[in-house]
Amino acid sequence: MLAACAARDSNSRGRNYPEPPPKIRSEYQRDRDRIIHTGAFRRLMYKTQVFVYDEGDLYRTRLTHTLEVAQIARSVAVALGLNEALTEAIALAHDLGHTPFGHAGQEALNDAMRKFGGFEHNFQSLRVVELLEEKYAEFPGLNLTFETREGILKHCSQANARRLGELGRRFIEHRQPGLEAQLANLADEIAYNNHDVDDGLRAGLIRVEELMRIDLFGSPYIEVCRRYPGLATRRLIHETVRRMIDALVTDLIQQSRANIQAAAPSSIEDVRSLPKPLIAFSPSVGSNSRVLAQFLRKQLYLHPRVQTATQEATRVVQALFKAYMNNPALLPRNQAVFASDLNHADTDMERARRVADYIAGMTDRYALREYQRVSGQAPHEAKYSGTA
Ligand code: MG
């Protein structure tokens, strides 16, 4: 059933700490299951995707975003004969390193960390599964297979790539990851573009009239209106969005299948040495998807009401970073012990990384509570007052 170029247990590059093979599951099923049982995975429930968690119960959170990515990625994996469990494992782990408060939190933490090597959320997802989840007796992290970790590290700076050894090598040599990793990446794009349309409309931050100018939305919207005249708004939007997802997924499968046939890689190693990814949209659909992404960036992420919340998030993250750096005693006990040990080492660098790990792991609401505790001030909670 699996394509020749799919990942499989028999050609895996394995785990950093050797373990006996699983009795019932495949290696990648074991990876997936370990990811689901992490604290970092559970905390995705209270982390912002675009909308802060207490704005309404219907908006996507990082967790529901992650589940939508996994759903799309699995469908395509099966259609292309790729390893479904590996694809799912990568999708479920891809946002584990995200800070609270979405992109605002990530930018604020990156700013604060500028002197200390910066903060990258993909790299942080890898730190979570390699180091920060302390659960197993015999190794730090989850001891995932190379292929899952390769997929989690979607982007990486050259400096971090050099430090990572084998896992970082592809960023230096401009090689590709396996097809399951390529797929999880595009499933992420399909998921967020479509659910941000849905959430943006629900919040009243974008309007159907504006979206009509975007072909990806306009064509199915007109089709649904013609076919079901007078359909109630929520059903009309859902029927449109599901057609958008279907159009993107169908195009992705067709184009990727053609790419795989043309390149005819006979193994995952062949895939890695190709100059370009094989999992791709057709040129016209790819460009339509970029047009939608640009629209959302301008109309949604840079919307004044979203920006107000963004500024507040930035202030909270900056204040937390400064407070912990100036006074490690404010950190919880296990972190504080570590931080005071670091006083004897040299290293502001290591303390900063530890503080960044701690802040990145916070949920939105925990960060707000911590802000109140360390500053004595209540955060000004900015809300969008969405329409639903
Ligand atoms: Mg994502």
Side-chain angles (χ1 to χ4, degrees), residues 49 62 65-66 69 91 94-96 98 103 121-122 154 184-185 187-189 191-192 195:
Q49 183 64 25
R62 282 259 167 231
H65 159 71
T66 293
V69 175
H94 87 281
D95 271 352
L96 288 180
H98 256 290
H103 282 284
H121 66 86
N122 286 295
K154 188 163 68 177
N185 185 15
D188 187 24
E189 186 180 320
Y192 64 66
H195 65 49

PDB file of all heavy atoms in Angstrom, residues 49 62 65-66 69 91 94-96 98 103 121-122 154 184-185 187-189 191-192 195, ligand 1:
ATOM      1  N   GLN A  49      -4.687  30.893  18.598  1.00  0.00           N
ATOM      2  CA  GLN A  49      -4.340  30.768  17.187  1.00  0.00           C
ATOM      3  C   GLN A  49      -4.322  32.184  16.623  1.00  0.00           C
ATOM      4  O   GLN A  49      -3.272  32.767  16.404  1.00  0.00           O
ATOM      5  CB  GLN A  49      -5.344  29.859  16.481  1.00  0.00           C
ATOM      6  CG  GLN A  49      -5.047  29.608  15.015  1.00  0.00           C
ATOM      7  CD  GLN A  49      -3.744  28.849  14.808  1.00  0.00           C
ATOM      8  OE1 GLN A  49      -3.272  28.122  15.678  1.00  0.00           O
ATOM      9  NE2 GLN A  49      -3.135  29.022  13.653  1.00  0.00           N
ATOM     10  N   ARG A  62      -5.007  26.753  19.301  1.00  0.00           N
ATOM     11  CA  ARG A  62      -3.883  26.004  18.722  1.00  0.00           C
ATOM     12  C   ARG A  62      -4.201  24.512  18.647  1.00  0.00           C
ATOM     13  O   ARG A  62      -3.745  23.830  17.743  1.00  0.00           O
ATOM     14  CB  ARG A  62      -2.611  26.174  19.557  1.00  0.00           C
ATOM     15  CG  ARG A  62      -1.930  27.451  19.329  1.00  0.00           C
ATOM     16  CD  ARG A  62      -0.717  27.359  18.401  1.00  0.00           C
ATOM     17  NE  ARG A  62      -0.372  28.715  18.062  1.00  0.00           N
ATOM     18  CZ  ARG A  62      -0.187  29.196  16.847  1.00  0.00           C
ATOM     19  NH1 ARG A  62      -0.238  28.407  15.804  1.00  0.00           N
ATOM     20  NH2 ARG A  62       0.081  30.451  16.662  1.00  0.00           N
ATOM     21  N   HIS A  65      -6.769  23.906  15.785  1.00  0.00           N
ATOM     22  CA  HIS A  65      -6.010  24.121  14.550  1.00  0.00           C
ATOM     23  C   HIS A  65      -5.160  22.884  14.240  1.00  0.00           C
ATOM     24  O   HIS A  65      -5.167  22.360  13.134  1.00  0.00           O
ATOM     25  CB  HIS A  65      -5.116  25.354  14.682  1.00  0.00           C
ATOM     26  CG  HIS A  65      -3.965  25.378  13.729  1.00  0.00           C
ATOM     27  ND1 HIS A  65      -4.120  25.589  12.370  1.00  0.00           N
ATOM     28  CD2 HIS A  65      -2.632  25.175  13.917  1.00  0.00           C
ATOM     29  CE1 HIS A  65      -2.940  25.522  11.776  1.00  0.00           C
ATOM     30  NE2 HIS A  65      -2.023  25.270  12.691  1.00  0.00           N
ATOM     31  N   THR A  66      -4.455  22.406  15.257  1.00  0.00           N
ATOM     32  CA  THR A  66      -3.583  21.240  15.106  1.00  0.00           C
ATOM     33  C   THR A  66      -4.368  20.015  14.631  1.00  0.00           C
ATOM     34  O   THR A  66      -3.911  19.267  13.764  1.00  0.00           O
ATOM     35  CB  THR A  66      -2.888  20.956  16.459  1.00  0.00           C
ATOM     36  OG1 THR A  66      -2.004  22.047  16.736  1.00  0.00           O
ATOM     37  CG2 THR A  66      -2.113  19.661  16.448  1.00  0.00           C
ATOM     38  N   VAL A  69      -5.203  20.392  10.990  1.00  0.00           N
ATOM     39  CA  VAL A  69      -4.010  20.119  10.177  1.00  0.00           C
ATOM     40  C   VAL A  69      -3.825  18.605  10.046  1.00  0.00           C
ATOM     41  O   VAL A  69      -3.591  18.078   8.948  1.00  0.00           O
ATOM     42  CB  VAL A  69      -2.732  20.748  10.800  1.00  0.00           C
ATOM     43  CG1 VAL A  69      -1.485  20.343  10.018  1.00  0.00           C
ATOM     44  CG2 VAL A  69      -2.854  22.267  10.853  1.00  0.00           C
ATOM     45  N   ALA A  91       2.104  16.450  12.145  1.00  0.00           N
ATOM     46  CA  ALA A  91       1.046  17.466  12.224  1.00  0.00           C
ATOM     47  C   ALA A  91       0.686  17.758  13.686  1.00  0.00           C
ATOM     48  O   ALA A  91       0.532  18.924  14.075  1.00  0.00           O
ATOM     49  CB  ALA A  91      -0.192  16.998  11.453  1.00  0.00           C
ATOM     50  N   HIS A  94       3.469  19.913  15.290  1.00  0.00           N
ATOM     51  CA  HIS A  94       4.099  21.017  14.568  1.00  0.00           C
ATOM     52  C   HIS A  94       4.034  22.356  15.301  1.00  0.00           C
ATOM     53  O   HIS A  94       4.880  23.204  15.099  1.00  0.00           O
ATOM     54  CB  HIS A  94       3.521  21.138  13.139  1.00  0.00           C
ATOM     55  CG  HIS A  94       2.278  21.976  13.045  1.00  0.00           C
ATOM     56  ND1 HIS A  94       1.032  21.508  13.399  1.00  0.00           N
ATOM     57  CD2 HIS A  94       2.092  23.249  12.654  1.00  0.00           C
ATOM     58  CE1 HIS A  94       0.135  22.465  13.209  1.00  0.00           C
ATOM     59  NE2 HIS A  94       0.747  23.532  12.756  1.00  0.00           N
ATOM     60  N   ASP A  95       3.063  22.539  16.183  1.00  0.00           N
ATOM     61  CA  ASP A  95       2.944  23.827  16.877  1.00  0.00           C
ATOM     62  C   ASP A  95       3.236  23.726  18.379  1.00  0.00           C
ATOM     63  O   ASP A  95       2.918  24.654  19.123  1.00  0.00           O
ATOM     64  CB  ASP A  95       1.533  24.410  16.665  1.00  0.00           C
ATOM     65  CG  ASP A  95       1.456  25.274  15.409  1.00  0.00           C
ATOM     66  OD1 ASP A  95       2.508  25.548  14.798  1.00  0.00           O
ATOM     67  OD2 ASP A  95       0.336  25.681  15.041  1.00  0.00           O
ATOM     68  N   LEU A  96       3.838  22.626  18.832  1.00  0.00           N
ATOM     69  CA  LEU A  96       4.062  22.450  20.277  1.00  0.00           C
ATOM     70  C   LEU A  96       4.918  23.568  20.868  1.00  0.00           C
ATOM     71  O   LEU A  96       4.827  23.882  22.048  1.00  0.00           O
ATOM     72  CB  LEU A  96       4.742  21.099  20.559  1.00  0.00           C
ATOM     73  CG  LEU A  96       3.892  19.834  20.376  1.00  0.00           C
ATOM     74  CD1 LEU A  96       4.720  18.604  20.696  1.00  0.00           C
ATOM     75  CD2 LEU A  96       2.634  19.877  21.249  1.00  0.00           C
ATOM     76  N   HIS A  98       4.863  26.743  20.132  1.00  0.00           N
ATOM     77  CA  HIS A  98       4.309  28.090  20.025  1.00  0.00           C
ATOM     78  C   HIS A  98       4.120  28.726  21.391  1.00  0.00           C
ATOM     79  O   HIS A  98       3.707  28.079  22.338  1.00  0.00           O
ATOM     80  CB  HIS A  98       2.979  28.073  19.264  1.00  0.00           C
ATOM     81  CG  HIS A  98       3.131  28.590  17.868  1.00  0.00           C
ATOM     82  ND1 HIS A  98       3.381  29.910  17.601  1.00  0.00           N
ATOM     83  CD2 HIS A  98       3.111  27.972  16.675  1.00  0.00           C
ATOM     84  CE1 HIS A  98       3.489  30.080  16.293  1.00  0.00           C
ATOM     85  NE2 HIS A  98       3.332  28.914  15.704  1.00  0.00           N
ATOM     86  N   HIS A 103       1.145  34.891  17.144  1.00  0.00           N
ATOM     87  CA  HIS A 103       2.340  35.479  16.541  1.00  0.00           C
ATOM     88  C   HIS A 103       2.881  36.650  17.348  1.00  0.00           C
ATOM     89  O   HIS A 103       4.085  36.884  17.368  1.00  0.00           O
ATOM     90  CB  HIS A 103       2.065  35.880  15.095  1.00  0.00           C
ATOM     91  CG  HIS A 103       2.088  34.704  14.187  1.00  0.00           C
ATOM     92  ND1 HIS A 103       3.272  34.104  13.788  1.00  0.00           N
ATOM     93  CD2 HIS A 103       1.100  33.952  13.654  1.00  0.00           C
ATOM     94  CE1 HIS A 103       2.998  33.056  13.038  1.00  0.00           C
ATOM     95  NE2 HIS A 103       1.682  32.934  12.942  1.00  0.00           N
ATOM     96  N   HIS A 121       9.859  29.419  16.714  1.00  0.00           N
ATOM     97  CA  HIS A 121       8.876  28.472  17.255  1.00  0.00           C
ATOM     98  C   HIS A 121       9.050  27.049  16.711  1.00  0.00           C
ATOM     99  O   HIS A 121       8.771  26.086  17.421  1.00  0.00           O
ATOM    100  CB  HIS A 121       7.442  28.985  17.085  1.00  0.00           C
ATOM    101  CG  HIS A 121       6.974  29.088  15.682  1.00  0.00           C
ATOM    102  ND1 HIS A 121       6.424  28.038  15.017  1.00  0.00           N
ATOM    103  CD2 HIS A 121       6.992  30.117  14.815  1.00  0.00           C
ATOM    104  CE1 HIS A 121       6.115  28.415  13.801  1.00  0.00           C
ATOM    105  NE2 HIS A 121       6.452  29.679  13.648  1.00  0.00           N
ATOM    106  N   ASN A 122       9.542  26.898  15.479  1.00  0.00           N
ATOM    107  CA  ASN A 122       9.791  25.541  14.972  1.00  0.00           C
ATOM    108  C   ASN A 122      10.902  24.848  15.756  1.00  0.00           C
ATOM    109  O   ASN A 122      10.810  23.679  16.107  1.00  0.00           O
ATOM    110  CB  ASN A 122      10.213  25.578  13.498  1.00  0.00           C
ATOM    111  CG  ASN A 122       9.045  25.868  12.603  1.00  0.00           C
ATOM    112  OD1 ASN A 122       8.127  25.078  12.517  1.00  0.00           O
ATOM    113  ND2 ASN A 122       9.057  27.015  11.959  1.00  0.00           N
ATOM    114  N   LYS A 154      10.510  22.613  10.609  1.00  0.00           N
ATOM    115  CA  LYS A 154      10.119  23.081   9.282  1.00  0.00           C
ATOM    116  C   LYS A 154      11.080  24.141   8.769  1.00  0.00           C
ATOM    117  O   LYS A 154      11.482  24.129   7.619  1.00  0.00           O
ATOM    118  CB  LYS A 154       8.696  23.643   9.395  1.00  0.00           C
ATOM    119  CG  LYS A 154       8.054  24.008   8.116  1.00  0.00           C
ATOM    120  CD  LYS A 154       6.549  24.162   8.287  1.00  0.00           C
ATOM    121  CE  LYS A 154       6.170  25.360   9.126  1.00  0.00           C
ATOM    122  NZ  LYS A 154       4.712  25.541   9.228  1.00  0.00           N
ATOM    123  N   ALA A 184       2.799  17.744   5.734  1.00  0.00           N
ATOM    124  CA  ALA A 184       2.307  18.366   6.969  1.00  0.00           C
ATOM    125  C   ALA A 184       2.416  19.892   6.863  1.00  0.00           C
ATOM    126  O   ALA A 184       1.533  20.631   7.315  1.00  0.00           O
ATOM    127  CB  ALA A 184       3.084  17.848   8.179  1.00  0.00           C
ATOM    128  N   ASN A 185       3.469  20.351   6.238  1.00  0.00           N
ATOM    129  CA  ASN A 185       3.693  21.779   6.048  1.00  0.00           C
ATOM    130  C   ASN A 185       2.558  22.421   5.234  1.00  0.00           C
ATOM    131  O   ASN A 185       2.005  23.452   5.605  1.00  0.00           O
ATOM    132  CB  ASN A 185       5.050  21.922   5.342  1.00  0.00           C
ATOM    133  CG  ASN A 185       5.465  23.364   5.177  1.00  0.00           C
ATOM    134  OD1 ASN A 185       4.903  24.241   5.820  1.00  0.00           O
ATOM    135  ND2 ASN A 185       6.427  23.604   4.306  1.00  0.00           N
ATOM    136  N   ALA A 187      -0.440  21.083   4.642  1.00  0.00           N
ATOM    137  CA  ALA A 187      -1.718  20.886   5.344  1.00  0.00           C
ATOM    138  C   ALA A 187      -1.927  22.009   6.364  1.00  0.00           C
ATOM    139  O   ALA A 187      -3.046  22.479   6.575  1.00  0.00           O
ATOM    140  CB  ALA A 187      -1.739  19.524   6.032  1.00  0.00           C
ATOM    141  N   ASP A 188      -0.849  22.456   6.977  1.00  0.00           N
ATOM    142  CA  ASP A 188      -0.901  23.587   7.908  1.00  0.00           C
ATOM    143  C   ASP A 188      -1.432  24.822   7.173  1.00  0.00           C
ATOM    144  O   ASP A 188      -2.347  25.504   7.646  1.00  0.00           O
ATOM    145  CB  ASP A 188       0.518  23.833   8.451  1.00  0.00           C
ATOM    146  CG  ASP A 188       0.580  24.867   9.559  1.00  0.00           C
ATOM    147  OD1 ASP A 188      -0.443  25.084  10.235  1.00  0.00           O
ATOM    148  OD2 ASP A 188       1.665  25.453   9.757  1.00  0.00           O
ATOM    149  N   GLU A 189      -0.888  25.079   5.997  1.00  0.00           N
ATOM    150  CA  GLU A 189      -1.300  26.255   5.207  1.00  0.00           C
ATOM    151  C   GLU A 189      -2.787  26.165   4.818  1.00  0.00           C
ATOM    152  O   GLU A 189      -3.531  27.141   4.942  1.00  0.00           O
ATOM    153  CB  GLU A 189      -0.417  26.333   3.955  1.00  0.00           C
ATOM    154  CG  GLU A 189      -0.643  27.575   3.121  1.00  0.00           C
ATOM    155  CD  GLU A 189       0.266  27.600   1.878  1.00  0.00           C
ATOM    156  OE1 GLU A 189       1.452  27.221   1.988  1.00  0.00           O
ATOM    157  OE2 GLU A 189      -0.225  27.979   0.808  1.00  0.00           O
ATOM    158  N   ALA A 191      -5.119  24.470   6.347  1.00  0.00           N
ATOM    159  CA  ALA A 191      -5.954  24.584   7.551  1.00  0.00           C
ATOM    160  C   ALA A 191      -6.073  26.038   7.984  1.00  0.00           C
ATOM    161  O   ALA A 191      -7.179  26.548   8.167  1.00  0.00           O
ATOM    162  CB  ALA A 191      -5.380  23.725   8.679  1.00  0.00           C
ATOM    163  N   TYR A 192      -4.956  26.750   8.134  1.00  0.00           N
ATOM    164  CA  TYR A 192      -5.108  28.091   8.716  1.00  0.00           C
ATOM    165  C   TYR A 192      -5.761  29.075   7.754  1.00  0.00           C
ATOM    166  O   TYR A 192      -6.555  29.916   8.168  1.00  0.00           O
ATOM    167  CB  TYR A 192      -3.829  28.624   9.377  1.00  0.00           C
ATOM    168  CG  TYR A 192      -2.609  28.886   8.530  1.00  0.00           C
ATOM    169  CD1 TYR A 192      -2.588  29.880   7.563  1.00  0.00           C
ATOM    170  CD2 TYR A 192      -1.438  28.166   8.743  1.00  0.00           C
ATOM    171  CE1 TYR A 192      -1.447  30.131   6.815  1.00  0.00           C
ATOM    172  CE2 TYR A 192      -0.293  28.406   7.995  1.00  0.00           C
ATOM    173  CZ  TYR A 192      -0.301  29.389   7.034  1.00  0.00           C
ATOM    174  OH  TYR A 192       0.814  29.635   6.297  1.00  0.00           O
ATOM    175  N   HIS A 195      -9.582  28.129   8.056  1.00  0.00           N
ATOM    176  CA  HIS A 195     -10.285  28.396   9.318  1.00  0.00           C
ATOM    177  C   HIS A 195     -10.186  29.869   9.707  1.00  0.00           C
ATOM    178  O   HIS A 195     -11.056  30.384  10.410  1.00  0.00           O
ATOM    179  CB  HIS A 195      -9.906  27.417  10.432  1.00  0.00           C
ATOM    180  CG  HIS A 195      -8.491  27.439  10.925  1.00  0.00           C
ATOM    181  ND1 HIS A 195      -7.829  28.576  11.281  1.00  0.00           N
ATOM    182  CD2 HIS A 195      -7.635  26.408  11.164  1.00  0.00           C
ATOM    183  CE1 HIS A 195      -6.618  28.243  11.730  1.00  0.00           C
ATOM    184  NE2 HIS A 195      -6.465  26.958  11.648  1.00  0.00           N
TER     185      HIS A 195
HETATM  186 MG    MG B   1       0.242  25.589  12.490  1.00  0.00          MG
END
